[in-house]
Amino acid sequence: MVKGIIVDDEFKSRESLRILLEDFCEGVEVCALCQNVDEGINAIKEHKPDVVFLDIQMQRESGFDLLTRIKEINFEIIFTTAHSEYAIKAFKFSAIDYLLKPIDIEELKQSIVKLNSKLNDTTSLRLQHLIQNLKIQPTESYKLALPTFDGLIFVKVSDILYCEASSNYTEIVTSDGKKYLVSRTLKEYDELLSDQNFYRIHNSYLINLNAVKKYIRGEGGYVIMSNDQSLDVSKRKKEGFLERIGN
């Protein structure tokens, strides 16, 4: 049984989430409903939850205020938020789970599934990088959490040269010559990195356009990356790629 606590200053939000968890998420027990940071901290000490559903913006304090007052975070966190898309992007890059209000039942179910597969010893690290990413300006580079077999590894997006599909996994190659096999599909990284000047030139390749050294023309042609690796451009992607690089 997964023990959960809800911290939210809005009565309707607390109650609706409790009902959704009890009615649609088997194996989750809601131990406490808290309306502010102090109540949340006391409930965490008393119940030692597996997960805290934490509202970000409350009347006087934020969910981050609660986290900074806890010495050891040995539980998972699922933020509930109505934040802007810019802030949501920071959550995605940091591998921190979140639910947009009003909360969708299917998204809640998916969060519980992901919750059961996460390790508590990475929670603090993911939160640190989330806070860093929230402070980043649009012109700067996020740090991206890579779920590898050895645990989470954080790399600057600007340091990624390209991503290569490998069945249901993705191999990410960085400017320092390292390669990371990540348990996510290339499609997911395409959606995440498309507005970070990345472009999918082939079913198998998503590239950092800033790292392209040369383009060799052909039916589709190919690019030479800054590490001298050659990558094919598919015929279908050629026109869009040339538009992106200004040719």
Side-chain angles (χ1 to χ4, degrees):
M1 180 68 70
V2 174
K3 294 193 296 183
I5 287 173
I6 298 171
V7 183
D8 195 312
D9 64 338
E10 296 180 357
F11 174 78
K12 288 184 178 179
S13 295
R14 294 195 301 273
E15 285 298 320
S16 61
L17 179 53
R18 177 187 64 80
I19 292 169
L20 289 177
L21 287 167
E22 291 179 349
D23 289 354
F24 298 100
C25 300
E26 187 177 353
V28 178
E29 176 190 4
V30 178
C31 300
L33 301 176
C34 310
Q35 63 181 339
N36 55 48
V37 168
D38 287 335
E39 286 187 10
I41 291 173
N42 290 333
I44 289 168
K45 291 177 180 178
E46 179 182 352
H47 296 285
K48 296 180 173 54
D50 300 299
V51 59
V52 174
F53 296 88
L54 184 59
D55 187 19
I56 294 178
Q57 196 61 51
M58 292 178 270
Q59 287 185 351
R60 295 181 180 179
E61 296 177 286
S62 73
F64 297 114
D65 292 320
L66 180 147
L67 298 174
T68 56
R69 288 171 57 184
I70 295 176
K71 292 182 179 179
E72 184 180 3
I73 299 173
N74 52 8
F75 49 85
E76 283 294 337
I77 298 157
I78 297 177
F79 285 102
T80 57
T81 177
H83 261 242
S84 67
E85 178 59 29
Y86 168 60
I88 293 304
K89 186 71 74 173
F91 279 78
K92 290 181 178 180
F93 274 87
S94 306
I96 291 288
D97 213 0
Y98 65 93
L99 294 167
L100 280 176
K101 297 179 180 179
I103 293 171
D104 178 80
I105 294 172
E106 292 305 316
E107 290 181 358
L108 176 60
K109 288 180 179 178
Q110 291 172 17
S111 290
I112 298 303
V113 171
K114 287 188 283 186
L115 168 67
N116 290 323
S117 66
K118 285 182 178 177
L119 298 175
N120 284 333
D121 60 1
T122 66
T123 304
S124 295
L125 189 59
R126 283 186 277 122
L127 285 170
Q128 290 172 22
H129 283 85
L130 169 62
I131 292 169
Q132 289 177 16
N133 283 341
L134 285 169
K135 294 177 180 177
I136 286 175
Q137 299 300 313
T139 55
E140 298 179 77
S141 181
Y142 288 106
K143 277 193 173 181
L144 178 62
L146 305 180
T148 69
F149 295 110
D150 296 325
L152 283 177
I153 296 173
F154 292 86
V155 299
K156 281 188 175 181
V157 170
S158 58
D159 289 338
I160 298 173
L161 300 183
Y162 62 90
C163 309
E164 181 176 355
S166 179
S167 186
N168 288 326
Y169 294 86
T170 300
E171 185 174 72
I172 293 181
V173 180
T174 55
S175 56
D176 59 3
K178 293 180 179 178
K179 297 181 179 181
Y180 303 99
L181 188 62
V182 179
S183 54
R184 285 184 179 172
T185 64
L186 188 62
K187 180 182 178 182
E188 291 179 79
Y189 284 109
D190 187 12
E191 294 172 351
L192 193 59
L193 296 170
S194 60
D195 61 356
Q196 298 288 314
N197 209 30
F198 280 69
Y199 188 76
R200 192 163 181 177
I201 59 170
H202 190 281
N203 282 341
S204 298
Y205 303 118
L206 173 70
I207 66 169
N208 184 345
L209 294 175
N210 295 324
V212 175
K213 187 160 69 172
K214 191 174 183 180
Y215 169 65
I216 308 298
R217 294 184 180 275
E219 185 176 9
Y222 62 93
V223 293
I224 300 175
M225 304 301 292
S226 59
N227 65 346
D228 292 324
Q229 178 70 40
S230 298
L231 304 175
D232 291 332
V233 179
S234 72
K235 184 178 179 180
R236 186 170 60 89
K237 294 287 188 176
K238 178 180 177 179
E239 183 178 350
F241 167 67
L242 292 176
E243 287 179 1
R244 287 293 298 272
I245 61 173
N247 282 350

